Amino acid sequence: MRRAMIALWRRGFLKELKRADGPLTEAALVARMDRLARVGHFRGTDAQAEVNRALATGLQAAAELLEEEGRDRRAARDIAGQAFLANARALQQLILRSWLWATPDPVGFVQRGNKLARKARMAWGQGMQVRQENGADHATLLVTDCAFADYFWDAGRSDLTAVFCAWDAAWMGEVNASARPVEVRRTGTIAQGCEACDFCFRRIEMPEAEVTTPNAPAR
């Protein structure tokens, strides 16, 4: 199942690379990903680490191959990053919109049983060290150790960590644009030198006319 998911993600990534003027062959991408996986260390031995490793090595492999085709380092990173984010966008929107549609009080939901931390561990596995702090009107997820930041640092490609940070910014924007009484803010990231990446879900007051049920996710 995991290998099928990785293959599906990789094909979508290649499709988006082609749209972004960065066509690469699947054979070249897979070969470079395999090489990077052998020489690099990605923390975590659980099942999710295999998926996370594929995401990290896929992004790095695409950037390297684009550089070898003649793009400069920044252009290669931007093309690979744009394709990476575009590939994730549709699934990300579906998941978030489904959750918001079914959850009138997102903050209350994530506070119960420290769901933010539990969901983060389920999604990212052992490679991420997280904890949750709750207040009267907020729940904050603190990522204190990021396997992606560590991987790219060790690979000498810390510039690629910003793509994963942008991925977080995209889902935060989706939540903030919803009609639910919640906003998510992040004040810093490990990649910026902070001790943790903080994701604060805060309950907000909304004008009565705006408190509506979000549209059901498109089928």
Side-chain angles (χ1 to χ4, degrees), residues 25-207:
T25 67
E26 185 168 10
L29 186 67
V30 170
R32 184 59 59 90
M33 289 172 65
D34 288 345
R35 192 179 90 182
L36 292 172
R38 289 194 299 271
V39 301
H41 173 68
F42 194 96
R43 189 173 58 251
T45 58
D46 57 337
Q48 189 58 38
E50 183 178 351
V51 178
N52 296 345
R53 185 182 297 109
L55 295 176
T57 57
L59 177 61
Q60 183 183 355
E64 288 185 358
L65 290 169
L66 289 169
E67 284 187 59
E68 291 169 11
E69 286 192 351
R71 274 77 167 188
D72 64 40
R73 191 177 180 96
R74 178 175 294 182
R77 179 204 63 195
D78 290 347
I79 292 171
Q82 178 183 341
F84 185 93
L85 295 172
N87 189 36
R89 187 175 299 128
L91 179 60
Q92 178 174 271
Q93 287 179 339
L94 176 62
I95 292 172
L96 283 170
R97 290 177 183 179
S98 298
W99 174 63
L100 290 164
W101 177 72
T103 311
D105 179 17
V107 173
F109 177 85
V110 298
Q111 283 180 328
R112 291 194 296 273
N114 286 340
K115 277 191 172 70
L116 270 178
R118 288 168 52 201
K119 293 293 186 183
R121 293 187 187 105
M122 184 182 301
W124 300 112
Q126 299 170 349
M128 297 289 195
Q129 297 299 312
V130 303
R131 72 174 189 272
Q132 181 170 340
E133 296 178 353
N134 295 330
D137 64 348
H138 73 273
T140 300
L141 178 71
L142 295 165
V143 179
T144 56
D145 205 352
C146 174
F148 293 107
D150 288 347
Y151 171 84
F152 288 123
W153 175 269
D154 291 341
R157 290 306 307 256
S158 289
D159 57 318
L160 295 176
T161 307
V163 177
F164 283 82
C165 295
W167 189 1
D168 288 329
W171 69 254
M172 290 164 61
E174 189 76 27
V175 174
N176 292 339
S178 77
R180 291 307 192 197
V182 59
E183 67 174 6
V184 189
R185 292 288 181 265
R186 179 181 62 188
T187 62
T189 67
I190 292 171
Q192 294 170 328
C194 299
E195 292 185 0
C197 305
D198 60 329
F199 302 92
C200 181
F201 288 68
R202 186 172 297 278
R203 188 180 291 111
I204 59 173
E205 296 294 332
M206 300 187 69

